[in-house]
Amino acid sequence: KEQTAGDKWFNMKRNDLTPAMKDDLNAIKLRGMIDPKRPYKKPDWKNLPQYFQIGTVMDGGEEARNQKIPKKERKSTIIDQFLHDDKSLNWTKKKFGDI
């Protein structure tokens, strides 16, 4: 298989999928189920992508102080972020109880 995505994708390299990366990609794919009141675009991929990049979101200087996430509340993975969000946890517990 090819090691890069090609010239149109700036030769993005193929990543080796670790279990943590698989969990994060599945969480991104299913994030609409965690809190349906947040508008997320539905992913257009049925299988996990082979070519992707992982980065860190940096706070911009132009954001207001009340919009920034405090360092104590920042999590290392997407799954940790979802698990520590009270609104989404309450909604999922409620829906799970309904089932």
Side-chain angles (χ1 to χ4, degrees):
K1 293 183 175 183
E2 295 183 33
Q3 294 299 319
T4 64
D7 290 335
K8 292 183 180 180
W9 287 94
F10 304 101
N11 295 318
M12 186 184 309
K13 293 182 181 179
R14 175 188 294 245
N15 289 323
D16 295 329
L17 286 175
T18 63
M21 283 186 194
K22 285 182 183 180
D23 291 342
D24 284 345
L25 289 171
N26 281 325
I28 291 171
K29 188 175 181 180
L30 298 172
R31 67 184 172 199
M33 297 293 139
I34 294 173
D35 187 4
K37 292 185 180 181
R38 290 185 185 171
Y40 291 116
K41 183 179 176 185
K42 198 179 252 186
D44 59 352
W45 34 278
K46 293 182 179 167
N47 299 325
L48 295 178
Q50 297 175 354
Y51 305 100
F52 59 91
Q53 293 180 346
I54 297 176
T56 303
V57 177
M58 304 291 289
D59 287 332
E62 66 276 354
E63 294 178 2
R65 279 196 148 201
N66 60 356
Q67 292 178 337
K68 293 183 181 182
I69 300 172
K71 286 186 180 181
K72 292 179 182 178
E73 295 179 14
R74 294 181 192 173
K75 305 299 174 202
S76 60
T77 63
I78 294 171
I79 295 173
D80 289 339
Q81 184 177 345
F82 286 143
L83 290 176
H84 287 86
D85 185 17
D86 292 334
K87 290 180 184 177
S88 61
L89 272 181
N90 290 337
W91 185 85
T92 52
K93 285 180 183 178
K94 178 183 166 193
K95 285 298 176 183
F96 186 73
D98 291 346
I99 295 174

